[in-house]
Amino acid sequence: MILHVKHIPARQTALAASVASTLVTACGEGEIQPRVLDNLNVHLDWLQYKTNFREAITLRRAVRGQEILPWIEVGVDLRQVQNDSVRQEFVTALKDATDAAASRKRIYFEPYTAIRSGLIWRFNNLFWQHLPLWESAIGHGFEKALPGGTSDANHPEAVADAVADFWTLLKDLEGHNQLPAEIFALEIGVGTGQRAAAWLDRFRALDRERGTNYYPRIRFLLADYSMPTLNRAMEAVKEHRELASFLAVDALDPFKSLSFLRYKVLSIHLTNVYDNLPTDEIVIRDGKLYFVEARAYVNASAANRICETAGVAPTEFARTVSRLLEVGPQHLLHGNVEQGVSFWRSVWDAIRLEERFVAIQSILDAPLPSGVKPGLLENFVGEGVLNQRFHLSSGALESFLNTVPLLHPRGYLQVQDIFVTRFEDYGKMFRGPGKMDGSIVNWVNGALLAEVGAQAGYDVHFAPFHYREGSRTSTLYTTHRE
Amino acid sequence: MSLPTLPTTVVGSYSMPGWLERLKTEYFARRISRQELDEIHDAAVKAAIKDQEVCGLDVVTDGELRRDNLIDYFAERLPGVQTDHTSKKFYYDFYDSVVRGKLPMASLRLADDFRFLSAFTERATKFCVTGPHTLVKRIKDEYYKNEEAFAMDLARVMNMELKELVRAGARYIQIDEPYYSGFPEDLQWGVKVLNTLVDGVDAKIALHVCYGNRYGKPSWAGNYRYLFPTILEANIQQLTLEFARRGGEDLELFKEFPNKFELGVGVIDVKTHEVETPDIVAERIRKALKFVPAERIFILPDCGLLHLPQEVAFAKLRTMVQGAKIVRKELGG
């Protein structure tokens, strides 16, 4: 057995040592088959997200084609694990690794699939489509779940600085006689609409103060794929209604809806969008690459509890979940919205991902968004990396590549989000996926995004968000690459 | 070599295959030799010529596939221009080139490329050269301390090269000056430099001005009004401009400022993978015909095809040729 100790906060080292000692003892006392022990890698992690898709003890196998490789990985989440039960859970998990019947303890919703295509993203979609129902059930807005209780993007100083930068750009364009008659600014993923409102308020004030009369030429586009969100944003920016338009846009492909604005938009802003877009993951173990596949499940015991509470026959559980995703919570359980939302929240809370690692030859064997030239990525991982797990950030890459063609030659893209800006930083802490209320959150592979940006003709930079102490967000901004 | 009415050609570059991008980058990583890369370039250029012929172009180029970008091929050949670091992460990146003394008069050896082109096609040919104004914007000047003076010396050196091209058989030479659009305030001296560049060069001289195509996206916005009337002083025979992506509004300038230039009309948008239909191309040509007579019009894409996938570039050229044929027929050709 090889023990990997990762992501352990200083105050949890004693717990890590205790758990490690328990596991080593279990192995030493012969509770694990020697054949399993020879191929066993145990990863002790502290998972950053309080709610996520993993069990306290998670087993992962690797496959090459149809062959199951002897190598076994066990992930131990120190946040969830109970010291007094860890030994038994560990032994049971490893027994399950060789016991086909073990899977009967789980109710699977899908076969193994690429993470970005999995069922959890349908739940994520459900959350944004039925946001008011969820918020009504929990008694507060979704932004409360964010660190700090609100989006960093709404910070007044950050907005003021963004407006000042934009005004300077407009002034410069005007100086070169290149200011367009219509000044397009686009926000994708509008949240509550507060940022857009604050931006427009501030811009109008600055414009009046400096007497430039740019404000009436602003065409502010608010884009989101969730109609409830757009409706809420519409209310937030009502003072600027004549300048604002509201568009249903898929964040993965803004160009599809907005191609008429090709090379015309001077400022594009996204906040907390990329971290909520589908992604895949790559794992490096002993220097070899694996693509992560997963299947969503709920433990049979949890399913029984949920069914009992909701008055659903256990045999109808999977079908009811499927119906939830198809028609929404308001049409479940005889139209009792409260019970429907409760069922939804319970299922979401109970959903876990069972993972397997599929051996690949190189990163080029992983599905890359169209438009990403594979040549440069061959060297992305670099040599000598033996153990790492990282996001491909498929959705973020796709969104980026389908957004930048909207940019005016002097325009820029700003994305406020949680970015891993250096590949090696993936080793420093758990980067998701986690659950944020009813949605999914993943850190975004900023290092890879920078490579892809360069291929598309944009230098990608990251600036830490310095307006709120302790903020982990940073701002990606583009400059045109010479 | 006689050409039909509305002759078709490319602006210069042809689609850069992904495999060639990778091999060029391999060269900078020292994983393949210069000789191997030269052989690869020869094969790629032959394929690009063949593609243009199959598409039915009347005038072909070498596709500029030997060039990493619009600057470095010239910067590394210009006598007196130094490149301190000759490695790149990606072949398309620019070198940090610098001039530290007066440029000596010496050859850039471009005629070899032209001879290669003419050896592998029976069609009429065009040879494209990046102009001095664009070069001075990317080559750091530590000697002249004055862009116009630097550009003028570049023009003198390159004038000798253009004459060498003519001696090798070049009859149609295009000067690429996309940076005019980024720095319209330079146009007065830019045209003086251009006239020095082409002085005594016995060939059809075309000037290509676009809004940039770096990484397949525009570098600047605006319109061509800034070119007029200053550009009318240029000793050129043809002006090649982009109209497909930007629309044909600027064609009005040819009515407002009467001139004798041939017009190279950009009818293919090179910044989208969507392939135009022959009818769309024909319509764009008809629009140009309202302002310039057919005998003074050449048909081209907006700019180089470098960034388009091969199959898209090929399809667009075929469509362009078909569109030109439609209009030719209407004209009784």
Side-chain angles (χ1 to χ4, degrees):
Chain A
M1 178 177 77
I2 298 173
L3 191 62
H4 306 257
V5 182
K6 302 154 63 181
H7 313 147
I8 310 296
R11 63 184 183 283
Q12 304 298 344
T13 50
L15 172 64
S18 168
V19 169
S21 170
T22 303
L23 301 183
V24 171
T25 304
C27 296
E29 292 177 355
E31 289 200 56
I32 312 297
Q33 295 174 28
R35 184 171 56 82
V36 171
L37 206 52
D38 286 348
N39 293 293
L40 183 58
N41 280 262
V42 176
H43 292 252
L44 291 191
D45 285 340
W46 178 270
L47 299 194
Q48 183 204 339
Y49 293 96
K50 285 178 186 160
T51 55
N52 57 63
F53 298 94
R54 296 193 187 174
E55 308 277 6
I57 304 270
T58 303
L59 183 83
R60 306 177 191 112
R61 300 301 303 264
V63 297
R64 181 180 292 113
Q66 299 298 315
E67 177 196 5
I68 298 175
L69 302 177
W71 173 82
I72 296 172
E73 179 168 307
V74 170
V76 179
D77 176 15
L78 291 169
R79 185 194 280 275
Q80 295 187 67
V81 83
Q82 301 294 319
N83 218 353
D84 52 356
S85 61
V86 64
R87 178 170 176 150
Q88 187 54 45
E89 287 180 40
F90 178 62
V91 171
T92 303
L94 286 172
K95 187 167 172 289
D96 288 351
T98 53
D99 178 6
S103 62
R104 286 203 290 270
K105 298 174 193 166
R106 295 174 172 179
I107 295 168
Y108 294 101
F109 296 114
E110 59 189 345
Y112 279 117
T113 186
I115 294 176
R116 75 176 187 289
S117 314
L119 176 111
I120 59 170
W121 294 102
R122 292 184 64 197
F123 271 93
N124 187 67
N125 190 37
L126 188 76
F127 176 75
W128 294 112
Q129 296 301 336
H130 299 280
L131 183 62
L133 293 177
W134 183 285
E135 289 179 330
S136 172
I138 61 174
H140 58 74
F142 74 92
E143 285 196 350
K144 283 278 182 214
L146 294 167
T150 182
S151 170
D152 280 346
N154 302 338
H155 196 288
E157 283 177 52
V159 171
D161 284 351
V163 165
D165 288 347
F166 188 64
W167 184 91
T168 302
L169 169 66
L170 300 188
K171 189 71 180 165
D172 187 59
L173 284 168
E174 188 177 37
H176 289 86
N177 205 24
Q178 291 178 356
L179 188 64
E182 294 182 302
I183 300 166
F184 287 102
L186 168 65
E187 184 161 321
I188 302 172
V190 298
T192 59
Q194 282 180 50
R195 183 189 180 273
W199 192 98
L200 283 161
D201 287 348
R202 179 63 195 154
F203 187 86
R204 181 175 58 191
L206 188 68
D207 185 46
R208 283 179 184 164
E209 182 187 312
R210 296 181 179 175
T212 38
N213 209 29
Y214 298 148
Y215 174 76
R217 294 161 73 174
I218 292 285
R219 302 289 175 265
F220 199 96
L221 312 174
L222 294 94
D224 206 290
Y225 81 134
S226 160
M227 286 312 292
T229 304
L230 280 176
N231 290 336
R232 185 182 300 184
M234 193 183 295
E235 183 63 21
V237 299
K238 63 184 175 192
E239 271 195 53
H240 309 275
R241 188 65 187 85
E242 71 279 15
L243 306 181
S245 301
F246 304 85
L247 306 159
V249 167
D250 178 1
L252 290 173
D253 193 358
F255 190 73
K256 188 166 68 180
S257 309
L258 301 172
S259 60
F260 64 98
L261 292 175
R262 182 172 65 138
Y263 306 132
K264 288 192 175 141
V265 185
L266 280 161
S267 166
I268 303 177
H269 186 95
L270 297 92
T271 303
N272 296 340
V273 172
Y274 283 7
D275 65 0
N276 189 235
L277 293 177
T279 181
D280 282 315
E281 291 186 58
I282 299 283
V283 164
I284 306 170
R285 294 291 182 251
D286 297 329
K288 295 190 175 73
L289 287 167
Y290 300 87
F291 181 69
V292 182
E293 290 186 341
R295 52 179 176 174
Y297 70 91
V298 167
N299 279 317
S301 54
N304 285 337
R305 275 198 304 276
I306 294 168
C307 286
E308 194 176 326
T309 305
V312 172
T315 51
E316 288 294 298
F317 177 68
R319 204 180 70 81
T320 309
V321 171
S322 177
R323 185 161 166 73
L324 164 70
L325 293 171
E326 281 167 18
V327 300
Q330 69 274 43
H331 299 301
L332 282 186
L333 309 177
H334 311 294
N336 183 324
V337 177
E338 197 176 319
Q339 279 192 19
V341 173
S342 176
F343 178 81
W344 170 19
R345 292 180 60 210
S346 301
V347 173
W348 178 243
D349 187 51
I351 279 188
R352 300 287 181 271
L353 290 176
E354 186 174 294
E355 298 174 339
R356 70 174 183 182
F357 298 164
V358 180
I360 55 175
Q361 288 297 314
S362 81
I363 195 170
L364 304 187
D365 293 334
L368 296 169
S370 77
V372 175
K373 293 182 183 176
L376 266 187
L377 297 186
E378 280 177 325
N379 299 323
F380 176 72
V381 170
E383 290 173 6
V385 178
L386 294 178
N387 284 288
Q388 189 65 288
R389 179 169 177 150
F390 63 97
H391 294 111
L392 270 181
S393 295
S394 329
L397 296 179
E398 192 176 338
S399 177
F400 179 91
L401 289 170
N402 290 325
T403 300
V404 289
L406 297 171
L407 283 175
H408 182 281
R410 293 286 309 278
Y412 53 80
L413 170 71
Q414 286 189 328
V415 183
Q416 190 164 347
D417 226 312
I418 40 177
F419 291 106
V420 183
T421 56
R422 298 182 312 163
F423 176 66
E424 56 269 31
D425 287 350
Y426 266 102
K428 290 186 179 168
M429 59 184 270
F430 177 70
R431 305 290 185 173
K435 294 177 187 171
M436 183 84 76
D437 269 352
S439 70
I440 300 170
V441 61
N442 278 294
W443 284 67
V444 181
N445 191 335
L448 185 53
L449 204 51
E451 291 282 358
V452 170
Q455 288 180 12
Y458 293 90
D459 284 321
V460 170
H461 317 270
F462 298 93
F465 186 79
H466 60 267
Y467 302 94
R468 181 175 67 83
E469 197 175 344
S471 172
R472 282 182 159 169
T473 66
S474 47
T475 304
L476 171 159
Y477 64 96
T478 59
T479 53
H480 291 268
R481 187 174 170 82
E482 277 295 318
Chain B
M1 199 173 295
S2 70
L3 294 172
T5 309
L6 306 176
T8 53
T9 184
V10 287
V11 165
S13 69
Y14 190 57
S15 165
M16 181 70 73
W19 55 264
L20 184 52
E21 290 194 317
R22 289 171 76 168
L23 288 168
K24 280 173 179 278
T25 304
E26 290 285 284
Y27 167 72
F28 287 106
R30 308 279 190 263
R31 287 195 278 263
I32 63 172
S33 70
R34 182 74 239 182
Q35 186 184 339
E36 286 169 325
L37 184 62
D38 287 344
E39 289 172 6
I40 290 162
H41 280 153
D42 285 352
V45 168
K46 288 179 199 172
I49 293 168
K50 187 69 181 172
D51 270 15
Q52 292 172 76
E53 290 180 348
V54 171
C55 287
L57 294 189
D58 302 303
V59 181
V60 301
T61 71
D62 70 352
E64 300 181 7
L65 296 180
R66 298 176 200 278
R67 305 178 189 182
D68 292 345
N69 51 54
L70 81 169
I71 302 294
D72 290 354
Y73 197 68
F74 300 90
E76 65 187 353
R77 285 155 182 262
L78 276 164
V81 174
Q82 298 168 10
T83 303
D84 292 340
H85 303 288
T86 54
S87 63
K88 301 182 189 183
K89 186 178 174 193
F90 185 48
Y91 85 97
Y92 190 59
D93 296 339
F94 287 129
Y95 283 135
D96 291 324
S97 303
V98 58
V99 61
R100 297 195 171 99
K102 186 169 173 57
L103 292 173
M105 300 293 279
S107 171
L108 279 71
R109 308 178 313 282
L110 298 177
D112 291 344
D113 290 355
F114 175 76
R115 290 188 193 97
F116 188 92
L117 166 64
S118 56
F120 285 94
T121 185
E122 300 291 320
R123 305 270 169 107
T125 57
K126 176 168 75 170
F127 196 83
C128 305
V129 176
T130 302
H133 178 263
T134 296
L135 288 170
V136 300
K137 294 298 179 185
R138 287 297 323 173
I139 299 172
K140 193 175 171 192
D141 170 25
E142 292 183 1
Y143 174 75
Y144 293 92
K145 313 292 186 192
N146 175 297
E147 284 190 329
E148 182 180 349
F150 179 22
M152 196 58 89
D153 250 12
L154 275 175
R156 290 189 189 105
V157 174
M158 293 177 72
N159 171 263
M160 194 174 77
E161 194 67 23
L162 298 194
K163 288 174 177 169
E164 183 61 32
L165 282 165
V166 172
R167 277 193 288 277
R171 296 293 173 265
Y172 182 8
I173 296 172
Q174 178 182 293
I175 313 300
D176 296 331
E177 288 288 19
Y179 278 59
Y180 280 180
S181 295
F183 302 88
E185 62 276 17
D186 295 348
L187 193 63
Q188 284 288 347
W189 64 258
V191 169
K192 278 191 223 164
V193 166
L194 176 66
N195 286 341
T196 299
L197 173 69
V198 302
D199 184 41
V201 177
D202 186 16
K204 179 202 291 278
I205 301 293
L207 173 68
H208 171 65
V209 183
C210 63
Y211 277 82
N213 195 25
R214 185 94 177 127
Y215 292 96
K217 61 191 179 70
S219 300
W220 307 284
N223 61 57
Y224 284 124
R225 176 160 290 276
Y226 78 90
L227 283 175
F228 294 89
T230 311
I231 203 67
L232 303 179
E233 296 161 23
N235 296 325
I236 58 173
Q237 285 73 53
Q238 186 181 99
L239 197 52
T240 296
L241 306 175
E242 60 168 303
F243 294 108
R245 177 181 70 87
R246 306 178 61 257
E249 288 79 7
D250 288 349
L251 284 163
E252 299 271 356
L253 292 164
F254 282 78
K255 189 174 174 184
E256 191 179 337
F257 298 96
N259 61 77
K260 293 183 178 175
F261 294 150
E262 292 175 349
L263 178 61
V265 185
V267 295
I268 295 290
D269 184 347
V270 300
K271 294 180 174 66
T272 172
H273 291 193
E274 196 174 315
V275 179
E276 289 86 346
T277 64
D279 286 340
I280 286 175
V281 171
E283 192 50 42
R284 287 171 179 166
I285 297 171
R286 288 186 202 107
K287 194 166 187 179
L289 284 168
K290 290 178 186 166
F291 302 94
V292 181
E295 60 273 19
R296 285 204 282 128
I297 286 185
F298 274 58
I299 306 301
L300 309 90
D302 271 354
C303 196
L305 302 166
L306 172 73
H307 299 288
L308 292 173
Q310 193 272 338
E311 68 278 10
V312 174
F314 188 85
K316 280 180 176 266
L317 288 184
R318 276 212 139 150
T319 296
M320 185 178 83
V321 169
Q322 289 163 1
K325 279 181 181 166
I326 292 171
V327 182
R328 247 179 235 151
K329 201 172 173 186
E330 291 168 359
L331 294 170

